[in-house]
Structures are given as C-alpha cells and as structure tokens.
C-alpha cells in the first residue's frame, strides 16, 4: 500500500470518528424594498421572553421572523445623519464650515490616513449635495422589505426597533435636518431618538435646524420622552457656550428599574468635553438626572486630551454598559487613532471605570464600532481584523464580532445557568462572526457572505448585520477568499444571523486564511465596508 493511500485512509477514519461540523449561524439576507447601491442592517426586533434560538426545540420560523431594520446608501454620509455634531466631535463646527478643506483637515489631523484626498472627496461631494445642491435622498430606511418613509423625508435612519417591530430613529426634511420618527420636540429645532422601552424613549434635542442659515453653531441636550412628553436633561457642566465651542449631550439607551432610571450616552463637561456618561435618577424628575462620567474613557486624562470624545452606547437589565472612546489624532495607539471599545460591568457601582476590550481578537489599539448587548451579556459590533499602521497608511479592514462576556455583579443568580450555557456555545471567548458561519449544511449558502458589521442582538440570539456578498459563493471558505478569482462583483447587503438550533461549541469550524492577499474588485467594499469608521470617528479639531 502506498504512503499516499495510507494517509488518505487514515484521514477518512479520523474524519468518521469526529462529530459532524456545522456553523453556529445561518445567514439570512433581507431584501430592502427600497433603492440603494449598498444595504446595511441596523437593528433587530427584541425577542422579549422568547426561548433561545440555540435551544434544541427552537422554531426556525420564529427565529427567522424577528424583523430586521436597515438603511441604504448610494454614497457615504457627508457627516453622519445620526450624530448631533459633525464627525461626532466637532462642537465648534469648524471642520464642517470649511467645506472640502475641513473634511481633508479632519482626516489628516484626526485619522492620519495617507488617502485623505479620496476620503474627503467622497464625503464632501455628499455634504455638497445635501447643503448646496439637490439634496436627493441618500439614506432610505426599511423594516423587513417595507419602506419607512415619513412625510417629506430626505434621509431616514433607524437606530432600534421596539417590541412590536416599529422604528425608533429620525429623518431629515428640506427644512429640518433631524426629526424623531415618533415624539414631539416643541421648543426645539432638531430631535433624535435612539431607544425605547415602550414607556420611555431617549435621544437628544438641538437648538437649531441644521439646515440653511441655521446650519452651524447649535447646542444639544440629552432627552427623555415619557410617552410623548419631552424632558430635556441638564448638562453635567452648565456652559451653553465656551468661546466657539457649543455644549452637546445625547442619550443612547436606557433601563428602568421600578422608578430608578438609568440612561447612557454622553454629556457636556468642563472645557466643553463630550464624555461617556451614565445618567441616573428617578422617573419623577427626568430633567434633573445626575451625570456620572465614565473614567478611563474621558477626553482629558492626566492633563492631556488622550481621547477626542467618548460615548456609552448600550445598557442592559444587568446594568452592564458598553461604549467606545475615540483616540485623539494627537495620541495614536499602535499606529492608529482608533475608536476603542469598552465595558462597565455595573452602572450602579460607586466608582465607574471603563475597561477596554483586550485579548484574543482584540489586539492592542484595535478600533471598531459598538453594536449592542443583550440580557445574556452577549456583545456584538465590529473590530479591526488587520493590525497594520493606519497613520500614514490605509484603513484597517474590519469584521463583525460577538463577545459572550458572562456573569457580572448585577446578573441575577437565577440566570447563571442560562448565561453560562450560552457562553459555553462560544467556548467562553470572543469570535469574528465569519468563523461562526462556516461548516455544515449551511456552509454553501453562508460562504456567499463575509460579515462586516453586527449592529444589534436580541435575547433569542438573532443578530442584525451587514455583509459583503459574492453571489454563488467565494472561491474558498477562507477569510480572505477571492470572489470569482478576483473578478467577481461583490455587494454590501443586510443580513440576519440566525442561531442554528441545538448548536454546541463542537460545531465551530474557524475559517482559514489564504496565503495570497485578496484584491477586491467590482463593487467590492466600495465606500462602505472599509471606510465607515471614518464616519463615526470621535475627534476634536483644536485640543483645549
């Protein structure tokens, strides 16, 4: 018997002795029902008390039936339709007022890319359209293929869905840049909403319209709606204006325990710094919620503006808070002015300190974008999957991740078994989601997608996400496989990641890496997958 035959026979016998491999997730593409070159998944419908979709008896119809919200883009935002101020940090409006030169300066001084002319040109052309030209719609929102088109809407964004699957977000018109899809803003010119628990909704309100002659120089306050009644929350440091800097605040998520209110977002602090904040108080006095700064994530650390801004993005019933802090362009870390992700295990603690993600897939200085957290303390988002130097170089490629954090101080002990069981499915560690969509009966379908971003996760474990798609499948199952030998057309699409019932850790079959670097062609990653970090970077033009 030849040595080749012996090895082949041995491989077959070993393979037969091992359990069958299967992905943890099925990738389900969602048609937008609206036009747009690229399609992004932004939110998933909450699952309430429904069973985990990982359970052996989970209904595939139920698990695939949670509604996904998303948006399209034909071009990048000039500056984000979600943020209170340009680039989430320009509260002097200096960058944006300088038109194209301001976009290029922002990139040069605060991102440091070698490709800032291209980066600025893409965004400036979009801002020019919105500001000086036809203002043709760019962001069209949808829920499971049905358009969300408020009257006269130009650009609509959906930040979350309520329990019935209705949109929480905001839209622009020809005269007002942002108005909540639901909720009045009497006495204010703009409003944004991010999340709701069915009774209370949170976001922000601003003093000017953000269009026409009121395009620049406005302030904003965190906001809570009790039903339809608006409560503008006080700033932590009550300077409405300091020189050419304007106070800003925003609330991004909430949890209410009886009459105790917890909110998270950012607020205005001394020197007009915009710092990640936990809001605490009572539902009987929402305008006077106290603001607790999240230490280690603030702008000013030991006298230096290490970060340019920070924000807490989500809180769950266990009082776990997650967020992100943008490293200042003057203080890059590991070759990048990255948007670092952090966690606070207990919002009720006497001392609030951020711990940045580190270890495993989270290398030193890795940047990303926080997506969300469910009540199993499972965190999703996107993270750098490359670690080359960004300063004087190119942007790092990013990929979606899931991080099963596990038990925390306020987690109910009665839920310890359920959380421990869920965490064990992931081998108790964080993963790139691409590694969890590989193998088994779903492998062929899933191999058409590489998951770029995970924006939300419900308690059943279903994730809203954005993927890059190669119709028919990539040339191999590797992370960096070619699409059609490098000549295929790739699209950016919205997808749901639906857990496969009865999955266990033994199903995980990580993707490999091809030795030849992938060159993306065709539609490729376009402006979306490789450059979206720049849209949401937290930065400041002048360090005070």
């Amino acid at each position: 018997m030849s040595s080749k035959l012996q090895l082949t026979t041995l491989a077959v016998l070993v393979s037969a002795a091992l359990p069958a491999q299967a992905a943890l997730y099925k990738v389900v593409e969602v048609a937008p029902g609206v036009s747009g070159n690229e399609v992004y998944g932004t939110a998933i419908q909450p699952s309430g008390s429904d069973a985990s979709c990982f359970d052996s008896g989970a209904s595939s119809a139920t698990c695939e039936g949670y509604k996904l919200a998303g948006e399209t883009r034909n071009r990048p935002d000039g500056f984000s339709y979600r943020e209170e101020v340009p680039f989430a940090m320009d509260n002097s409006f200096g960058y944006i007022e300088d038109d194209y030169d301001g976009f290029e300066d922002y990139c040069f001084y605060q991102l440091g890319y070698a490709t800032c002319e291209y980066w600025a040109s893409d965004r400036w052309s979009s801002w020019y359209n919105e500001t000086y030209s036809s203002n043709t719609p760019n962001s069209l929102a949808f829920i499971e293929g049905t358009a969300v088109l408020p009257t006269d809407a130009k650009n609509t964004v959906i930040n979350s869905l309520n329990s019935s699957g209705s949109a929480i977000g905001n839209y622009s018109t020809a005269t007002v840049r942002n108005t909540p899809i639901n909720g009045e803003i009497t006495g204010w010119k703009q409003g944004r909403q991010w999340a709701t628990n069915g009774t209370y909704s949170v976001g922000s309100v601003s003093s000017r319209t953000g269009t026409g002659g009121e395009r620049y120089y406005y302030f904003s306050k965190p906001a809570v709606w009790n039903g339809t009644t608006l409560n503008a929350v006080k700033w932590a440091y009550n300077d409405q204006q300091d020189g050419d800097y304007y106070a800003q605040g925003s609330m991004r998520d909430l949890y209410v325990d009886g009459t105790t209110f917890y909110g998270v977002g950012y607020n205005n602090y001394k020197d007009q710094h915009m710092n990640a904040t936990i809001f605490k108080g009572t539902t009987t006095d929402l305008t006077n919620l106290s603001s607790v700064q999240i230490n280690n994530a603030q702008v000013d650390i030991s006298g230096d503006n290490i970060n340019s801004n920070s924000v807490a993005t989500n809180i769950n019933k266990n009082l776990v808070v997650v967020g992100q802090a943008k490293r200042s362009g003057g203080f890059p870390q590991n070759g990048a002015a990255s948007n670092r992700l952090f966690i606070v295990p207990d919002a009720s603690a006497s001392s609030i300190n951020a711990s940045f993600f580190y270890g495993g897939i989270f290398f030193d200085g890795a940047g990303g974008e926080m997506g969300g957290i469910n009540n199993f303390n499972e965190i999703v988002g996107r993270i750098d999957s490359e670690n080359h130097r960004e300063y004087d170089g190119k942007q790092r490629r990013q990929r979606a991740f899931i991080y099963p954090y596990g038990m925390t101080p306020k987690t109910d002990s009665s839920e310890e078994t359920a959380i421990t069981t869920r965490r064990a499915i992931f081998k108790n560690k964080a993963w790139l989601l691409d590694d969890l969509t590989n193998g088994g009966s779903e492998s062929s379908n899933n191999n058409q997608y590489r998951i770029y971003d995970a924006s939300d996760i419900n308690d059943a474990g279903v994730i809203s996400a954005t993927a890059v798609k190669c119709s028919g499948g990539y040339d191999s199952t590797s992370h960096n496989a070619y699409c059609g030998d490098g000549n295929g057309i790739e699209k950016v699409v919205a997808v749901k990641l639906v857990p496969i019932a009865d999955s266990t850790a033994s199903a995980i079959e990580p993707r490999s890496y091809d030795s030849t670097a992938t060159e993306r062609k065709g539609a490729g990653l376009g402006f979306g997958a490789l450059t979206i970090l720049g849209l949401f970077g937290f930065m400041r033009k002048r360090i005070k």
Side-chain angles (χ1 to χ4, degrees):
M1 182 181 291
S2 71
S3 61
K4 180 177 180 180
L5 180 58
Q6 290 176 19
L7 290 172
T8 302
T9 303
L10 178 61
V12 171
L13 292 173
V14 170
S15 176
L18 293 174
Q21 298 295 309
L24 291 188
Y25 293 96
K26 176 182 180 180
V27 182
V28 179
E29 185 175 346
V30 178
V34 292
S35 62
N37 293 335
E38 301 190 345
V39 187
Y40 297 82
T42 63
I44 197 72
Q45 182 181 3
S47 57
S49 59
D50 293 353
S52 167
C53 289
F54 285 108
D55 289 352
S56 59
S59 164
S60 60
T62 297
C63 293
E64 292 185 28
Y66 296 112
K67 295 180 180 179
L68 177 141
E71 301 156 15
T72 64
R73 292 292 190 277
N74 293 312
R75 55 187 181 275
D77 305 4
F79 76 83
S80 172
Y81 304 123
R82 289 178 161 79
E83 297 293 344
E84 283 75 18
V85 295
F87 313 121
M89 55 69 58
D90 185 16
N91 56 341
S92 71
F93 298 88
Y95 281 123
I96 204 73
E97 191 178 21
D98 288 343
D99 292 336
Y100 171 82
D101 290 341
F103 280 85
E104 188 173 20
D105 285 347
Y106 168 83
C107 179
F108 182 80
Y109 290 109
Q110 302 294 355
L111 298 177
Y113 304 147
T115 55
C116 281
E117 288 186 5
Y118 301 100
W119 187 97
S121 178
D122 281 347
R123 284 149 187 81
W124 161 244
S125 62
S126 189
W127 177 241
Y128 182 90
N129 171 75
E130 184 180 351
T131 309
Y132 305 113
S133 189
S134 61
N135 196 15
T136 54
N138 182 35
S139 180
L140 302 180
F142 64 92
I143 300 175
E144 287 292 316
T146 300
V148 177
L149 294 173
T151 304
D152 299 327
K154 291 292 184 182
N155 293 297
T156 305
V157 297
I158 299 176
N159 295 315
S160 61
L161 294 175
N162 65 17
S163 58
S164 64
S166 297
I168 308 300
N170 45 273
Y171 65 96
S172 298
T173 68
T175 57
V176 179
R177 192 168 197 267
N178 280 291
T179 297
I181 294 174
N182 299 291
E184 56 88 16
I185 54 171
T186 302
W188 297 84
K189 297 294 186 71
Q190 292 188 69
R192 297 163 175 83
Q193 284 190 344
W194 285 82
T196 187
N197 68 355
T199 300
Y200 301 96
S201 303
V202 297
S204 67
V205 286
S206 300
S207 61
R208 304 184 77 174
T209 65
T211 63
E214 295 188 323
R215 183 169 295 113
Y216 309 118
Y217 317 129
Y218 52 82
F219 59 84
S220 63
K221 279 192 169 183
V224 182
W225 285 262
N226 182 355
T228 59
T229 302
L230 170 64
N231 299 271
V233 179
K234 65 181 181 180
W235 291 307
Y237 194 83
N238 203 35
D239 276 352
Q240 178 175 304
Q241 183 178 351
D242 181 10
D244 57 356
Y245 290 85
Y246 291 79
Q248 310 293 335
S250 179
M251 206 175 299
R252 303 297 175 84
D253 200 5
L254 76 157
Y255 178 70
V256 178
D257 183 8
T259 60
T260 302
F261 184 96
Y262 292 92
V264 297
Y266 71 85
N267 210 351
N268 183 74
Y269 290 82
K270 190 175 181 180
D271 291 333
Q272 305 301 87
H273 291 157
M274 299 154 61
N275 289 333
T277 295
I278 298 172
F279 301 91
K280 298 180 181 180
T282 174
T283 54
T284 60
D285 191 10
L286 292 169
T287 61
N288 289 308
L289 299 173
S290 64
S291 293
V292 181
Q293 176 182 285
I294 298 177
N295 297 320
N296 299 336
Q298 74 270 28
V299 171
D300 189 325
I301 298 177
S302 300
D304 290 317
N305 286 359
I306 301 298
N307 296 308
S308 55
N309 197 358
S310 61
V311 60
T313 57
N314 303 91
I315 184 172
N316 68 6
K317 72 175 186 179
N318 305 316
L319 302 186
V320 181
V321 176
V322 293
Q324 53 205 28
K326 179 64 178 70
R327 195 84 177 183
S328 171
F331 292 89
Q333 181 181 9
N334 193 22
S338 55
N339 200 39
R340 299 178 298 157
L341 309 183
F342 67 76
I343 188 167
V344 177
D346 181 5
S348 67
S350 57
S351 179
I352 302 296
N353 298 287
S355 296
F356 290 95
F357 291 5
Y358 183 73
I361 63 173
F362 306 113
F363 60 84
D364 183 34
E369 188 78 14
M370 188 62 72
I373 183 172
N374 64 13
N375 290 317
F376 285 87
N377 296 338
E378 294 166 344
I379 304 165
V380 296
R382 69 175 185 266
I383 197 70
D384 288 342
S385 59
E386 300 172 325
N387 63 358
H388 61 256
R389 183 179 178 85
E390 284 193 324
Y391 243 69
D392 299 322
K394 63 179 182 179
Q395 287 179 265
R396 296 167 177 163
R397 181 170 300 164
Q398 297 186 331
R399 285 292 183 263
F401 72 86
I402 185 167
Y403 182 10
Y405 193 76
M407 297 293 290
T408 53
K410 291 295 182 181
T411 306
D412 192 324
S413 59
S414 65
E415 299 174 344
E416 181 172 358
T417 299
I419 289 178
T420 301
T421 300
R422 281 272 282 260
R423 192 166 188 255
I425 295 171
F426 302 98
K427 299 184 178 180
N428 304 313
K429 66 178 184 178
W431 291 89
L432 295 180
L433 281 164
D434 279 338
D435 284 325
L436 307 183
T437 62
N438 186 38
S441 61
E442 294 296 335
S443 190
S444 179
N445 171 69
N446 287 357
N447 192 46
Q448 297 181 100
Y449 306 93
R450 294 296 181 267
I451 313 303
Y452 162 65
D453 185 33
S455 57
D456 195 11
I457 182 170
N458 65 20
D459 289 346
V462 182
I463 299 169
S464 60
T466 301
V468 183
K469 180 182 181 182
C470 175
S471 294
Y474 286 90
D475 294 352
S476 75
T477 61
S478 67
H479 278 285
N480 56 340
Y482 283 100
C483 176
D485 199 29
N487 297 307
I489 303 297
E490 294 174 289
K491 299 190 300 181
V492 177
V493 297
V495 298
K496 285 185 281 194
L497 301 184
V498 181
I500 296 172
D502 207 23
S503 292
T504 65
S506 63
I508 297 174
E509 187 175 352
R511 296 183 188 275
S512 62
Y513 285 89
D514 290 339
S515 58
T516 303
T518 300
E519 180 184 356
R520 306 269 181 201
K521 297 183 179 180
L525 300 185
F527 63 79
L530 290 182
T531 63
I532 203 166
L533 175 62
L535 298 179
F536 298 104
F538 290 88
M539 305 180 182
R540 175 175 303 278
K541 184 176 181 182
R542 294 182 291 278
I543 304 300
K544 297 184 73 176

